[in-house]
Amino acid sequence: MSGSNGVYTKRPTPIAAARPDAAATAGARPRRGYGQRCSPLDRTRPSAHSGNAFCARCIRSTLPRHLASRIIATERRVLAVAAHSPLAGATDLSWSDLADRPLVVNTVSGTTDAASWHPAAPDRVVITCTNFDEWIELVAADRGIGVVPDLARTRAPHPGVVYLDISDAPPSHVYVAWRARPVPSRSVQRFLAAL
């Protein structure tokens, strides 16, 4: 799962379809197994929540009670601002410099919210949305700043958004989540042990 927003699905995938030579080398009927299916990050947590996936890579630690999670990686955060914002040309920004700026928060798959700053500014303007596409358009429209993992700089370029380094930003965590109830299957337990 490294480097992807994948979920390990319960949907059987014919191994022969994944590797054309598998049926020939197996001799008999094609075996069936489980494969990885990549989904947009906004959908990975609901996949694990609904039972349509064994495990999901997610970036929020707050999960329903029947799901368990653990940290598997950290990612460096960067600031996203509108290209026409006065901040677009800023250098040497610190995390505390951003504490009272209007903030755009993706409530489903975002890694940063107003509580990411301690103490949180009580009068801070927070604009919420529920997916990455809406988030990046709100940032491009200069409705507020955004903070995302550094990977967004290369995976989600936008002509109206500038990504800037924040030297002292706390890292964001990447989690693997799985259904803890009922007890996970042996294959899920083996997968988790291999991480």
Side-chain angles (χ1 to χ4, degrees):
M1 285 187 1
S2 65
S4 72
N5 297 328
V7 294
Y8 284 89
T9 64
K10 287 185 174 180
R11 182 178 303 134
T13 304
I15 292 175
R19 288 189 7 233
D21 64 318
T25 57
R29 295 176 269 150
R31 297 178 306 153
R32 296 179 71 78
Y34 293 99
Q36 181 182 19
R37 175 177 52 109
C38 291
S39 299
L41 190 55
D42 296 340
R43 286 186 238 150
T44 57
R45 189 171 63 155
S47 294
H49 175 67
S50 67
N52 291 328
F54 285 124
C55 297
R57 175 190 184 271
C58 59
I59 53 179
R60 290 181 100 51
S61 61
T62 307
L63 298 170
R65 290 178 25 195
H66 69 281
L67 295 179
S69 68
R70 75 171 183 233
I71 296 172
I72 57 171
T74 59
E75 296 175 315
R76 194 169 69 101
R77 291 180 177 168
V78 295
L79 174 66
V81 298
H84 61 277
S85 164
L87 283 177
T91 57
D92 297 326
L93 288 169
S94 73
W95 188 247
S96 62
D97 293 338
L98 308 172
D100 60 350
R101 301 237 177 221
L103 179 67
V104 180
V105 174
N106 177 343
T107 60
V108 174
S109 62
T111 60
T112 307
D113 59 22
S116 299
W117 282 264
H118 302 287
D123 297 331
R124 185 176 204 171
V125 174
V126 177
I127 297 93
T128 61
C129 60
T130 58
N131 62 61
F132 183 83
D133 293 337
E134 185 180 1
W135 175 89
I136 202 164
E137 292 303 330
L138 287 166
V139 171
D142 205 16
R143 295 285 309 278
I145 63 168
V147 179
V148 290
D150 187 40
L151 186 59
R153 192 187 310 242
T154 54
R155 282 216 179 150
H158 187 289
V161 174
V162 174
Y163 295 101
L164 302 168
D165 293 324
I166 313 166
S167 60
D168 62 342
S172 65
H173 299 290
V174 179
Y175 298 83
V176 64
W178 64 94
R179 293 178 65 85
R181 289 183 300 221
V183 175
S185 68
R186 283 183 288 168
S187 61
V188 170
Q189 292 175 31
R190 283 193 305 264
F191 172 76
L192 294 170
L195 291 178

